[in-house]
Amino acid sequence: ETGVTQTPRHLVMGMTNKKSLKCEQHLGHNAMYWYKQSAKKPLELMFVYNFKEQTENNSVPSRFSPECPNSSHLFLHLHTLQPEDSALYLCASRVDAGSGGTEAFFGQGTRLTVV
Amino acid sequence: AQSVAQPEDQVNVAEGNPLTVKCTYSVSGNPYLFWYVQYPNRGLQFLLKYITGDNLVKGSYGFEAEFNKSQTSFHLKKPSALVSDSALYFCAVRGSVSNTGKLIFGQGTTLQVKP
């Protein structure tokens, strides 16, 4: 257990559905991240939030919509996804005090299948 | 641009033998380097990091890594491999000039330890 909890662990959704992924941490971290992990590809950074403000959107399609209501919670809202969006979605958090030396803690991921 | 290369898709080693998983990087400014391990259907688990100081870094489960600035490398090592070390290993880098804390991952190396 890393202290970063993701729900649900598995999700199957149709291309016309709307669903949300949730990430929660009570580690006192102020930065939170969404990553996409597809088979045979490196981890792709999707979004970065620092003190609830989005600081990076890595050219992610608008069918993925992040929300960070507070420093402990991060959501990824999904709508009209494509089959190629099927992947493991990982949330991470860390303390960002201006130094790059703190490690990120990862959740166990949500395995998303789009049918 | 920041990048990480893990030149081997898979490393095979016999139990009890030493193991090395290779990583080279390119980054602006001083590098912050990390190794993570991922077991099947799980998130990433932090192993160790290099920030500054001693080039040999020790981490969890008997793993260590050596930072080599001239070769821009950060290879992961363990003196005696265990079957339970079999997993997917990721090297990651964050540059000191990154203002979003963006962590860039290599493509991962599968370590297979055979009895």
Side-chain angles (χ1 to χ4, degrees):
Chain A
E1 285 296 331
T2 62
V4 180
T5 303
Q6 289 187 244
T7 54
R9 292 291 310 277
H10 301 273
L11 178 62
V12 179
M13 60 186 287
M15 289 190 283
T16 58
N17 290 159
K18 289 184 180 181
K19 296 285 184 182
S20 295
L21 310 184
K22 180 182 177 182
C23 177
E24 185 173 358
Q25 58 86 13
H26 297 287
L27 302 169
H29 293 172
N30 60 298
M32 297 188 78
Y33 307 81
W34 279 116
Y35 282 87
K36 176 183 178 182
Q37 186 179 22
S38 305
K40 308 292 184 185
K41 286 186 178 180
L43 271 77
E44 302 170 57
L45 178 65
M46 299 175 73
F47 301 104
V48 180
Y49 277 83
N50 205 313
F51 289 106
K52 304 184 298 178
E53 300 297 320
Q54 188 181 123
T55 55
E56 183 149 350
N57 175 337
N58 207 25
S59 302
V60 180
S62 60
R63 57 186 184 269
F64 295 92
S65 175
E67 179 190 2
C68 189
N70 54 61
S71 292
S72 298
H73 295 86
L74 184 65
F75 295 89
L76 189 62
H77 303 300
L78 316 171
H79 64 97
T80 57
L81 294 192
Q82 304 298 311
E84 59 265 28
D85 296 323
S86 298
L88 183 67
Y89 288 84
L90 292 165
C91 172
S93 70
R94 75 179 188 111
V95 174
D96 185 349
S99 160
T102 56
E103 62 270 25
F105 291 73
F106 282 80
Q108 297 200 44
T110 295
R111 173 68 63 187
L112 173 67
T113 304
V114 181
V115 297
Chain B
Q2 299 178 158
S3 66
V4 177
Q6 292 179 244
E8 302 150 317
D9 286 340
Q10 182 157 327
V11 169
N12 298 309
V13 64
E15 188 174 32
N17 283 1
L19 69 88
T20 299
V21 183
K22 295 180 180 177
C23 172
T24 58
Y25 67 90
S26 174
V27 72
S28 300
N30 293 319
Y32 299 113
L33 294 153
F34 304 82
W35 275 103
Y36 286 85
V37 60
Q38 185 179 33
Y39 296 98
N41 297 312
R42 304 295 291 272
L44 275 68
Q45 186 175 335
F46 170 73
L47 278 179
L48 50 79
K49 67 181 179 183
Y50 171 82
I51 306 300
T52 187
D54 195 347
N55 288 344
L56 184 63
V57 177
K58 294 188 184 295
S60 307
Y61 312 119
F63 283 94
E64 57 190 30
E66 187 166 12
F67 171 63
N68 187 317
K69 187 173 183 178
S70 62
Q71 296 185 7
T72 60
S73 67
F74 189 56
H75 301 330
L76 181 70
K77 300 182 180 185
K78 187 173 182 180
S80 178
L82 300 172
V83 172
S84 58
D85 292 330
S86 299
L88 183 58
Y89 289 80
F90 290 97
C91 180
V93 68
R94 180 184 293 128
S96 61
V97 297
S98 167
N99 61 1
T100 63
K102 187 173 178 176
L103 192 60
I104 302 300
F105 284 86
Q107 65 269 39
T109 298
T110 299
L111 174 66
Q112 190 75 255
V113 182
K114 299 194 175 170

